[in-house]
Amino acid sequence: MFAAEEVKKVKTVKKITPVRLRNIALYYLKRYDTTKAALRQVLMKRVNEYAYYNPECDKSEAVSWIEDIISDFERYGYLDDRRFAENRCRDYIAAGKAKCYIVGKLKEKGVSDDVIERCFAEQEYNAFDAALKLAKKKKIAAFRKEERERREMRQKDMAVLVRAGFDYDTVTAVVDYEPAEEE
């Protein structure tokens, strides 16, 4: 009874062509703002999947198609690592993220070091303000309701901020901070 039902299905993967790769890239860019490296990775995943099921596939030809697509999209303005980095950097700063966290995330996406440096030079980043935003969001340190609880949880609050990527001086400044009444 079970032997008849256990028919293995062979996965069929559509043939990789320049037009298909371009359509995959356009669909991906329609949904996500991304970098050249990330788009290259998405397209290479599709090529590798097709090559796995079809050994006669010429990967080097597909790689040249991918590079042509990426250069075309960069020329059209669909792909711009600098724009991506500026947007992400602005969002992370607004969320109260540490500089090392932001740099790590941008490098993970394949943004070059010089683009990251220029991005931070243009943005107004203050580590104390970012750490304060995080403390306020998590209701730790000076944003705890009771003074006794603040004293008891000092080490844990410091640990939260250090794990978030802030340096010791910034962490101690935030933990020792006394907020004004309107905050």
Side-chain angles (χ1 to χ4, degrees):
M1 179 177 157
F2 289 111
E5 293 176 12
E6 293 182 22
V7 176
K8 265 192 166 180
K9 290 186 178 180
V10 177
K11 185 173 182 177
T12 57
V13 182
K14 290 184 181 179
K15 183 174 170 85
I16 293 295
T17 63
V19 173
R20 178 153 170 69
L21 281 174
R22 184 174 296 275
N23 288 340
I24 291 168
L26 283 171
Y27 183 70
Y28 187 79
L29 287 174
K30 184 170 76 171
R31 293 181 298 153
Y32 308 107
D33 186 21
T34 191
T35 61
K36 293 181 284 190
L39 183 62
R40 185 178 293 115
Q41 187 177 8
V42 167
L43 296 176
M44 278 305 299
K45 183 178 176 185
R46 292 295 188 97
V47 168
N48 288 335
E49 183 181 18
Y50 179 74
Y52 178 79
Y53 290 105
N54 301 292
E56 72 278 353
C57 174
D58 183 16
K59 279 183 164 182
S60 61
E61 186 179 31
V63 169
S64 69
W65 295 338
I66 290 171
E67 293 306 319
D68 290 343
I69 291 168
I70 288 174
S71 64
D72 285 347
F73 285 2
E74 192 174 19
R75 194 175 52 236
Y76 299 149
Y78 298 163
L79 277 176
D80 187 2
D81 286 358
R82 184 176 171 93
R83 180 187 64 221
F84 175 83
E86 287 172 354
N87 290 339
R88 284 290 167 98
C89 193
R90 188 179 333 102
D91 292 344
Y92 285 141
I93 289 172
K97 301 293 183 183
K99 184 175 182 177
C100 64
Y101 175 88
I102 298 169
V103 169
K105 285 294 187 179
L106 292 175
K107 281 186 178 184
E108 203 174 90
K109 286 293 187 178
V111 178
S112 66
D113 291 335
D114 61 323
V115 171
I116 293 172
E117 286 176 28
R118 278 186 271 153
C119 181
F120 269 104
E122 294 171 2
Q123 301 285 335
E124 292 183 18
Y125 179 77
N126 184 338
F128 178 77
D129 291 341
L132 208 55
K133 282 180 189 176
L134 181 65
K136 191 172 187 176
K137 180 179 173 184
K138 294 201 175 257
K139 295 182 176 133
I140 60 173
F143 299 100
R144 291 189 182 273
K145 291 184 180 181
E146 297 178 20
E147 180 67 32
R148 181 185 58 77
E149 187 181 7
R150 272 185 236 145
R151 283 192 308 273
E152 290 174 1
M153 302 300 283
R154 179 179 169 85
Q155 290 298 316
K156 289 187 178 189
D157 294 348
M158 288 177 74
V160 167
L161 293 169
V162 168
R163 279 192 303 269
F166 295 103
D167 62 273
Y168 181 76
D169 294 333
T170 304
V171 169
T172 55
V174 169
V175 171
D176 295 336
Y177 176 75
E178 289 296 325
E181 291 299 320
E182 64 271 0
E183 290 185 50

